[in-house]
Amino acid sequence: MADKEATVYIVDVGRSMGEKNHGRQQSDLDWAMLYVWDKVTSTVATDRKTATLGVIGLRTVGTANELAEEESFANISILQDIKQTLLPDLQRLRSLIKVSKTNDGDAISAIVLAIQAIAKYCKKLKYRRKIVLVTNGRGILDADDVSEITSKIKEDNIELVVLGVDFDDADYGFKEEDKVSLKAENEAILKSLTDSCDGVFGTLAQAIEELGIPRLKTTRPVNSYKGQLTLGDPEVYDTAMSIDVERYPRTLIRRPASASQYVHRADLSNGLASVSSSATILPDIEASEGESSAQNMNGLAAVRNARSYQVEDDTAPGGKRDVTRDELAKGYEYGRTAVHISESDESITNLDTKAALEIVGFIPWNNYDRYMSMSTSSVIIAQRTNNKAILALSSLIHALLELESFAIARLVSKANKTPVLLLLAPSIEVDYECLLDVQIPFAEDVRSYKFAPLDRIVTVSGKILKEHRNLPSETLSSAMSDYVDSLDLSTFGKDDDGHDSLAPSNTTEYMELTDTFSPVLHRIDQAVRWRAVHPTEPIPPPYDILTKYSKIPDDLEATSNPRLIKLMEAADVKKVPPKLRGRKRQRDRVAPLSGLDVTTLLATSRSTAKISPENPIPEFRQMLETTEDPNGIVDAASQLITITEKHIKDSFGDSNYDRVIAEMTALREEMIEMEEPGLWNDWLKKLKEKLRSDALGAGRDELWWRIRRDKLGLVVKSESEVSEIGDDEARQAEKRRQRKGVDDKRRAFGIPTATAATEFCLNSRVKTTNSIQDIEFKEFRLAQSATSPAGLIIAIRQERWIDRKHQVSADVQSLLPIISLSL
């Protein structure tokens, strides 16, 4: 459990804080609030009830505090009492913290109020208490009772932090020139106060600069195993070893902050919630106190997912029946088949285990490969209050270290859990001794594969070749080795004095482990904290420390560049020829280095070839690659069109439809690329008429539906600039087609007037299907089978728009009075 915290921020909002100084584009208040908001949002992000904070406004226009009657406490306002801060509180504070119109207000009195607020909230309980004062030091201070304040701060164990706008700081190396005397006096008073109570005094510039250094999250570890470490079976052998130990995680993978789902209650009350949503509203009684209050202030409700299970049942309405989870059996995917297993069968496969940590063997250090590690590391220590166990484990650790060996152990952390295999390594530090463990695979988990060697080539006859065009030469290997050595980061850092480490005496690590941070984690944290306070402003760029190691240092790049040039010469690196890209009828074509274009040489023979019906698409593309003549493009397109129409005519049912769709897709794509969309558009219009008139065989309506499903429509200007069909024209044509389809169906069904209900049911509006394309296909079937109102109802029943119990769908119900048919 983390320590309880109580922090009070005192923010100076005086009129002088609205000025812009030293070339900054922000006012002093906005600049200071960068630090305050970062610290506050970091506390809010922990989502801990024990991490509390309060905010006091200094030099405000009004006065709002318990000691407002006294003159020295005027122009000081309690903006927020000490409590857990949530997102609504941040939004409210943002509206309150603004530059005031007065410079009156005593910072010392504000510290007194902060001390009083902490004492009232924390009482005598154990808390980490802290006061942070952010000011520019240009107000009047009353330093008469500073000694008593210092005593109270020490007595309550409060940490005092004073950060000043443009305060002098010799350690940081900043000194403000032409400083006004009042500010200099105030700086001296505040520095004396912090020094006397062992606080922190600094300039705000340094504090803001250090915001870019990610703050590490400290967690209190929880043991994953607490029991005995054994060597042999203590229940059988008296000589078996048994040590009481505890196991804790040493390293863990930190995940980025996850998102939460919320819904507006007002939308739900107005009936705007989706019926088909898989999420449900969490009642307030199930939400935590902090979460519930945050939701209520924003009109939000947390969302929880709900699952329902259905099985096919022809006797149930809609063909499906709801079942509970208890009625289901577990299923495991085997290929594309779901194999179910009952609980009784599954219990046979479970291994009955008990919690234990057993050493099963030892191996030398040299016999272990690092790639065998499968998990993060943990630490095993002896039971803290057991001196006998501490001595025994220390003996084992020293023995492993002296013999340069690792121990292999079998761990079952809890009863009936799957056992895992651990590698135990000795670790001896100044303050403690322990065993470090990491999970390793069982023999069944290891898969061995053989790959061709990289330093030689073995021919089919078994001959070994050391020199080959695919093998690097000695010169190339040497050049690569020199280049890699020149990029060595382990000696490129700077020492503590800032001297370059290129000198042998100043060799240091450039990219130390403690200075590297995960850009994903901390960038997301930065963005979340910023958005919580600035909902509409753009997110600032990432901190420099997060991007520092994403590119090679300039100095290192300069020193390694000569070796890179030698490497390029040894490898005979050549620039890839640029692609030749033309406009009309010019393909992306790489110019050959030799100047001999085989494709051009074969162009004459290919241009006179005919496309075969057995392999039309590749041959069609080959013909287009070898021609730039418009007549050649027309000839290739005409041949493919002829083959496609023949495949439609010869198709038995829909047997050739997939092939036809592939040929049409290739033709459309190539005509767009060759800037000849007119050829495609003209043929598509003719094809439509042929399909309607049954010129290519009867019953080809499904093919036209599939053409529309795959979006093989007319090529419009948004797809090709040379197309003569605009987007608006295409939309109007589609509307006319739909209108004509409705009229044709109305006449076929004998319905005299186009009522709204008729159009709703017949014009692609029935909700029992999943897509417009499916509805249109049903329309074709209705038009073929329903030549009367009775036939219409039969067709509707076949489409399951009326179930077997003659319960009419709500969408079809409005059609029945029109056709006057009794069920």
Side-chain angles (χ1 to χ4, degrees):
M1 180 177 178
D3 295 333
K4 294 185 287 187
E5 303 175 4
T7 306
V8 175
Y9 292 91
I10 304 174
V11 182
D12 189 349
V13 296
R15 184 175 58 190
S16 60
M17 289 289 288
E19 300 175 2
K20 300 178 182 179
N21 297 303
H22 300 282
R24 292 189 291 266
Q25 300 298 320
Q26 299 168 295
S27 66
D28 290 348
L29 178 60
D30 292 338
W31 190 51
M33 289 307 297
L34 292 177
Y35 172 83
V36 176
W37 287 134
D38 186 87
K39 294 298 183 181
V40 171
T41 52
S42 297
T43 303
V44 174
T46 62
D47 197 26
R48 290 192 293 116
K49 291 184 177 180
T50 55
T52 59
L53 62 91
V55 181
I56 296 177
L58 172 63
R59 296 200 289 174
T60 58
V61 174
T63 302
N65 60 74
E66 295 181 354
L67 304 177
E69 297 179 356
E70 300 185 23
E71 183 179 356
S72 58
F73 291 94
N75 300 107
I76 301 175
S77 301
I78 306 295
L79 303 181
Q80 175 181 298
D81 293 326
I82 300 177
K83 65 173 185 175
Q84 182 189 8
T85 303
L86 302 174
L87 182 59
D89 301 317
L90 289 179
Q91 298 171 350
R92 186 180 62 84
L93 286 173
R94 188 169 181 265
S95 62
L96 295 176
I97 300 178
K98 295 181 180 179
V99 178
S100 68
K101 299 180 180 179
T102 181
N103 281 326
D104 297 333
D106 182 12
I108 302 296
S109 299
I111 294 176
V112 172
L113 289 174
I115 296 172
Q116 181 181 2
I118 291 176
K120 181 180 179 181
Y121 180 82
C122 301
K123 299 181 176 62
K124 298 297 182 180
L125 300 177
K126 185 179 179 181
Y127 271 85
R128 292 178 56 187
R129 312 169 191 218
K130 186 176 182 179
I131 298 174
V132 179
L133 170 63
V134 180
T135 178
N136 63 358
R138 294 172 61 178
I140 299 176
L141 299 184
D142 184 3
D144 293 341
D145 301 327
V146 169
S147 58
E148 297 179 6
I149 296 173
T150 302
S151 301
K152 182 62 176 176
I153 291 176
K154 289 183 177 181
E155 178 185 345
D156 292 349
N157 195 21
I158 298 175
E159 179 186 3
L160 177 62
V161 178
V162 176
L163 297 176
V165 178
D166 300 326
F167 277 17
D168 296 341
D169 191 336
D171 296 335
Y172 181 66
F174 177 81
K175 181 177 177 60
E176 185 180 20
E177 302 294 337
D178 301 327
K179 188 188 298 288
V180 296
S181 58
L182 177 61
K183 183 174 182 179
E185 293 175 2
N186 291 341
E187 284 188 31
I189 294 173
L190 294 174
K191 190 174 188 310
S192 175
L193 174 62
T194 54
D195 291 343
S196 60
C197 60
D198 301 326
V200 178
F201 178 88
T203 183
L204 189 62
Q206 181 180 6
I208 293 178
E209 181 180 320
E210 292 178 353
L211 292 179
I213 302 176
R215 290 170 292 279
L216 302 181
K217 182 180 180 181
T218 58
T219 57
R220 186 166 295 178
V222 178
N223 64 71
S224 57
Y225 173 77
K226 189 174 183 179
Q228 291 184 334
L229 170 65
T230 61
L231 177 59
D233 190 350
E235 298 179 358
V236 178
Y237 303 102
D238 296 337
T239 57
M241 181 189 73
S242 179
I243 306 173
D244 293 324
V245 297
E246 298 176 359
R247 181 173 183 258
Y248 294 91
R250 189 170 191 244
T251 57
L252 292 174
I253 300 175
R254 182 183 171 190
R255 307 292 182 186
S258 59
S260 301
Q261 292 181 332
Y262 294 94
V263 64
H264 283 281
R265 287 190 177 276
D267 292 347
L268 295 175
S269 62
N270 293 334
L272 300 179
S274 173
V275 177
S276 61
S277 174
S278 61
T280 57
I281 307 173
L282 178 70
D284 289 341
I285 58 175
E286 298 182 13
S288 63
E289 181 181 351
E291 184 181 10
S292 178
S293 61
Q295 295 164 10
N296 292 337
M297 292 188 66
N298 288 274
L300 300 177
V303 174
R304 298 291 184 268
N305 291 327
R307 289 185 176 90
S308 62
Y309 302 92
Q310 294 180 328
V311 295
E312 294 185 358
D313 187 353
D314 295 337
T315 62
K320 293 185 177 180
R321 175 170 56 88
D322 292 337
V323 294
T324 61
R325 182 182 177 87
D326 297 336
E327 300 179 70
L328 302 177
K330 283 187 178 181
Y332 296 89
E333 188 175 4
Y334 184 76
R336 299 185 64 182
T337 305
V339 181
H340 74 277
I341 180 172
S342 62
E343 291 186 4
S344 58
D345 294 336
E346 188 177 10
S347 62
I348 301 175
T349 64
N350 293 334
L351 183 64
D352 187 13
T353 59
K354 61 180 181 179
L357 179 58
E358 306 165 342
I359 295 178
V360 296
F362 301 91
I363 60 171
W365 291 354
N366 298 333
N367 290 2
Y368 179 74
D369 297 318
R370 293 293 297 272
Y371 63 81
M372 303 292 284
S373 301
M374 297 175 57
S375 68
T376 57
S377 60
S378 298
V379 58
I380 297 175
I381 60 174
Q383 204 172 67
R384 300 183 184 182
T385 58
N386 191 335
N387 294 329
K388 182 180 178 181
I390 294 174
L391 181 60
L393 185 63
S394 176
S395 301
L396 175 62
I397 293 171
H398 281 269
L400 290 174
L401 188 64
E402 292 174 4
L403 297 176
E404 298 183 350
S405 299
F406 294 138
I408 306 297
R410 175 182 179 270
L411 170 68
V412 179
S413 57
K414 293 182 180 179
N416 296 324
K417 287 201 68 174
T418 303
V420 296
L421 210 57
L422 299 180
L423 179 83
L424 307 184
S427 176
I428 300 178
E429 302 293 340
V430 178
D431 300 331
Y432 64 93
E433 300 173 349
C434 67
L435 288 173
L436 302 179
D437 74 74
V438 65
Q439 183 180 348
I440 58 176
F442 288 94
E444 294 79 7
D445 298 329
V446 179
R447 300 290 184 269
S448 299
Y449 299 95
K450 291 185 178 181
F451 297 93
L454 300 178
D455 58 344
R456 62 188 182 277
I457 291 179
V458 182
T459 63
V460 179
S461 61
K463 184 179 180 181
I464 298 177
L465 303 178
K466 293 290 186 178
E467 294 183 0
H468 190 271
R469 59 185 179 88
N470 293 335
L471 295 177
S473 62
E474 291 293 336
T475 304
L476 179 59
S477 299
S478 177
M480 176 60 75
S481 178
D482 293 341
Y483 178 62
V484 172
D485 292 341
S486 67
L487 296 175
D488 187 6
L489 295 176
S490 63
T491 58
F492 188 73
K494 295 184 178 181
D495 57 19
D496 297 335
D497 297 330
H499 297 135
D500 196 342
S501 66
L502 294 179
S505 60
N506 297 327
T507 298
T508 57
E509 175 73 33
Y510 170 73
M511 191 175 175
E512 293 186 2
L513 186 62
T514 56
D515 294 335
T516 57
F517 305 93
S518 171
V520 175
L521 291 175
H522 300 292
R523 175 57 174 166
I524 292 178
D525 289 347
Q526 177 193 6
V528 170
R529 294 197 305 267
W530 178 269
R531 182 59 71 229
V533 183
H534 308 87
T536 59
E537 298 180 15
I539 298 175
Y543 296 123
D544 294 338
I545 196 170
L546 299 181
T547 59
K548 177 181 179 181
Y549 302 117
S550 62
K551 58 182 180 180
I552 183 173
D554 295 337
D555 295 342
L556 186 61
E557 184 177 13
T559 56
S560 62
N561 191 55
R563 293 178 177 83
L564 176 60
I565 295 175
K566 291 182 179 180
L567 175 62
M568 295 173 63
E569 293 175 353
D572 193 22
V573 177
K574 296 180 180 179
K575 187 177 181 180
V576 177
K579 289 184 177 181
L580 301 177
R581 183 173 181 83
R583 283 283 295 164
K584 262 190 177 179
R585 307 176 184 88
Q586 291 289 335
R587 297 279 184 154
D588 290 345
R589 190 177 300 165
V590 176
L593 295 174
S594 62
L596 185 63
D597 191 353
V598 179
T599 305
T600 305
L601 297 177
L602 299 178
T604 304
S605 60
R606 285 187 179 179
S607 62
T608 57
K610 297 295 183 180
I611 301 176
S612 65
E614 292 76 16
N615 193 30
I617 296 178
E619 295 184 7
F620 169 66
R621 296 185 190 276
Q622 291 175 2
M623 285 190 66
L624 294 181
E625 288 178 356
T626 58
T627 182
E628 296 181 3
D629 183 16
N631 295 329
I633 298 175
V634 174
D635 179 50
S638 300
Q639 291 189 49
L640 184 59
I641 288 172
T642 302
I643 293 171
T644 302
E645 291 183 350
K646 186 176 186 304
H647 288 160
I648 297 174
K649 192 171 184 179
D650 296 343
S651 177
F652 182 74
D654 60 353
S655 60
N656 287 346
Y657 285 1
D658 291 337
R659 189 174 186 178
V660 169
I661 293 298
E663 293 167 353
M664 294 181 66
T665 302
L667 177 61
R668 190 177 189 275
E669 291 175 352
E670 294 297 332
M671 291 301 100
I672 292 176
E673 189 172 349
M674 302 298 287
E675 297 186 349
E676 291 289 350
L679 294 176
W680 166 265
N681 291 339
D682 294 342
W683 174 64
L684 188 63
K685 295 175 182 177
K686 295 177 183 179
L687 177 64
K688 181 179 179 181
E689 297 300 328
K690 290 180 181 180
L691 294 178
R692 285 190 170 183
S693 61
D694 297 337
L696 299 178
R700 301 299 184 193
D701 294 329
E702 184 181 351
L703 174 60
W704 184 251
W705 168 77
R706 293 186 61 175
I707 292 172
R708 298 190 63 238
R709 183 197 66 181
D710 293 340
K711 299 180 180 180
L712 299 176
L714 299 174
V715 178
V716 296
K717 284 189 176 295
S718 60
E719 297 176 282
S720 176
E721 296 179 357
V722 298
S723 176
E724 298 179 355
I725 301 178
D727 295 345
D728 295 338
E729 182 181 352
R731 284 193 291 267
Q732 293 297 329
E734 178 66 16
K735 290 181 180 180
R736 289 195 298 270
R737 185 199 67 78
Q738 294 179 356
R739 180 72 263 171
K740 184 176 183 300
V742 173
D743 294 340
D744 292 344
K745 295 183 188 75
R746 193 189 314 117
R747 287 192 295 269
F749 299 151
I751 300 174
T753 59
T755 63
T758 306
E759 291 186 10
F760 181 80
C761 185
L762 297 181
N763 191 21
S764 308
R765 292 297 186 272
V766 179
K767 294 183 179 179
T768 53
T769 55
N770 296 325
S771 63
I772 298 249
Q773 288 86 354
D774 292 339
I775 297 170
E776 291 174 349
F777 181 44
K778 294 179 187 300
E779 291 176 6
F780 284 123
R781 295 179 61 179
L782 287 175
Q784 292 173 352
S785 60
T787 57
S788 65
L792 171 63
I793 294 300
I794 293 173
I796 290 176
R797 182 179 291 113
Q798 290 175 351
E799 298 301 332
R800 287 192 178 181
W801 293 348
I802 302 177
D803 61 26
R804 295 189 177 186
K805 295 182 180 179
H806 301 280
Q807 296 297 321
V808 184
S809 161
D811 298 316
V812 182
Q813 213 163 18
S814 59
L815 180 65
L816 298 182
I818 300 173
I819 57 179
S820 301
L821 183 67
S822 173
L823 296 180

